[in-house]
Amino acid sequence: MDLTFTEEEEAFRARLRTWLADVLPKLPPKPAASDWPGRRRHDAAWQRMLYDAGYAGLHWSVDAGGRGATPTQHLIFLEETEKAGAPYVGANFVGLLHAGPTIAAEGTAAQRARWLPPILRGDEIWCQGFSEPDAGSDLAALRTRAVRDGDAYVVTGSKIWTSHAEVADWCELLVRTDPEAPRHRGISWLAMPMDAPGVTVRPLRTLAGSTEFAEVFLDEVRVPVDHRIGAEHDGWRVTMVTLSFERGTAFVGEVVACRRVLAELARTARANGRWDDTVLRRRLGRLNVEFAALWRLTQWNVSEAQRTGGVPGAGGSVFKLRYSHARQELYDAAAEVLGGQALDAAHPWVADRLSALSYTIAAGTSQIQRNIVAERILGLPKGR
């Protein structure tokens, strides 16, 4: 992998910096964390600005509505937007980072034409309906049923930890279409409209006080058969495509954010007198190396995904496993630097520390990631 920048890539960086310097001062203030309708409008407006400027879906293929940018240009975009303090994908994250890439990889031409442009413009927000009360890490245990009735599926069941369900237009939904099939078969991947009759959303309040997740109850919801992505009963394979994006490339912008926070931690430690603590300095130095290595792994994963047709491989599990723990270690160090302020819930690092606790669970627990690494990369036998 060549990590040097070409003249064309440096020119791309310069144009992006100029654009960010022009548009960011014009953005309205970010709404309160509890105002999800406001946050949806804010995030959708930013996405539309990216779209109008030609930066939406930068690394998506041209036939999927993107610019077909190189992996390096994609990483430059993530670096520069984070350094400039630009908004992240926010409420758009499921559509842009999970559902959209999955539809681009697995959908028909008609499905791509229907769903990808509104995702890129920020017109439609997606949520993820995978986990259930008894099917979280063991996702293949899902029991939400979809019974074929003519040109529609009738869906009954419930989902939990459904990201952004209260403001979403669509849900990437996993259902069991053949209850007699083995666990990993008989599953289908559907695009379900959230305004369909029979859909009930109940927000869940997290430890950090946010309601970004929800329970979703499905009572004989009719979903058209042509909203199925992939073949009937082939949803587990399609889901692995979705999860490969979630674990392999969806976190790349957050690595840049963590490196920025680490630099802020060092400045704060110097300012409040904690820099004299050699143990703390050693801890921050080790984290600096950790995130530098994770950024190199990110570059490799993005390049590998591009080389293999846009779908990340099992290396995404290596990244997700180590990143989840490194993020928790980062915010543990933040609490040490803050001292007494670490008890102030209003401090953003305190909220981020609480949020970091979920990262070893979300998108597949660390135990699941270790199994994937052991079996698919190291070639070890499956456990019994």
Side-chain angles (χ1 to χ4, degrees), residues 82-160:
E82 178 59 38
K83 288 178 181 178
Y88 192 49
V89 289
N92 292 300
F93 94 90
V94 173
L96 286 168
L97 305 181
H98 304 169
T102 302
I103 294 169
E106 298 289 335
T108 65
Q111 289 169 338
R112 288 153 65 100
R114 165 60 188 87
W115 283 303
L116 296 185
I119 289 173
L120 289 175
R121 291 193 301 265
D123 293 342
E124 294 179 344
I125 303 299
W126 284 66
C127 61
Q128 185 180 79
F130 283 12
S131 296
E132 297 180 6
D134 295 317
S137 296
D138 186 14
L139 186 58
L142 68 90
R143 293 187 295 182
T144 295
R145 292 281 303 276
V147 178
R148 185 79 174 258
D149 180 24
D151 60 357
Y153 291 105
V154 180
V155 181
T156 301
S158 67
K159 297 291 179 177
I160 198 167

Side-chain angles (χ1 to χ4, degrees), residues 74-249:
H74 179 206
L75 294 172
I76 288 171
F77 172 81
L78 293 170
E79 279 188 303
E80 294 300 326
T81 51
E82 178 59 38
K83 288 178 181 178
Y88 192 49
V89 289
N92 292 300
F93 94 90
V94 173
L96 286 168
L97 305 181
H98 304 169
T102 302
I103 294 169
E106 298 289 335
T108 65
Q111 289 169 338
R112 288 153 65 100
R114 165 60 188 87
W115 283 303
L116 296 185
I119 289 173
L120 289 175
R121 291 193 301 265
D123 293 342
E124 294 179 344
I125 303 299
W126 284 66
C127 61
Q128 185 180 79
F130 283 12
S131 296
E132 297 180 6
D134 295 317
S137 296
D138 186 14
L139 186 58
L142 68 90
R143 293 187 295 182
T144 295
R145 292 281 303 276
V147 178
R148 185 79 174 258
D149 180 24
D151 60 357
Y153 291 105
V154 180
V155 181
T156 301
S158 67
K159 297 291 179 177
I160 198 167
W161 310 123
T162 307
S163 305
H164 303 321
E166 62 181 304
V167 294
D169 303 293
W170 293 91
C171 178
E172 51 174 9
L173 184 72
L174 288 189
V175 296
R176 190 163 294 283
T177 44
D178 184 356
E180 304 302 322
R183 283 162 34 95
H184 293 81
R185 301 176 185 174
I187 294 172
S188 297
W189 196 111
L190 304 180
M192 181 186 73
M194 290 297 288
D195 61 355
V199 177
T200 301
V201 176
R202 295 179 185 171
L204 294 168
R205 191 166 298 279
T206 69
L207 180 67
S210 172
T211 57
E212 65 208 67
F213 303 116
E215 294 178 284
V216 177
F217 298 92
L218 308 169
D219 183 12
E220 297 189 347
V221 180
R222 297 185 69 86
V223 180
V225 171
D226 61 9
H227 286 194
R228 186 190 67 234
I229 306 301
E232 188 172 75
H233 313 321
D234 193 33
W236 185 257
R237 184 192 61 79
V238 178
T239 300
M240 292 304 100
V241 173
T242 304
L243 293 178
S244 70
F245 286 114
E246 185 173 20
R247 297 164 184 169
T249 55

Side-chain angles (χ1 to χ4, degrees), residues 3 5 9-10 12-13 16-17 20 24 58 71-86 88 252-257 259-260 291-292 295-296 298-299:
L3 299 178
F5 297 112
E9 289 163 348
E10 290 292 7
F12 170 78
R13 186 192 301 274
L16 176 59
R17 283 180 176 176
L20 289 169
L24 289 181
L58 186 69
T72 302
Q73 288 175 323
H74 179 206
L75 294 172
I76 288 171
F77 172 81
L78 293 170
E79 279 188 303
E80 294 300 326
T81 51
E82 178 59 38
K83 288 178 181 178
Y88 192 49
V252 292
E254 296 192 31
V255 176
V256 182
R259 298 181 77 180
R260 174 180 52 77
F291 281 105
W295 183 244
R296 291 306 188 200
T298 293
Q299 292 175 304

Side-chain angles (χ1 to χ4, degrees), residues 254 258 291 323-331 352 355-356 359:
E254 296 192 31
C258 285
F291 281 105
Y323 171 72
S324 298
H325 291 271
R327 184 181 178 91
Q328 291 181 353
E329 293 168 13
L330 172 67
Y331 285 104
D352 286 339
S355 174
Y359 276 65

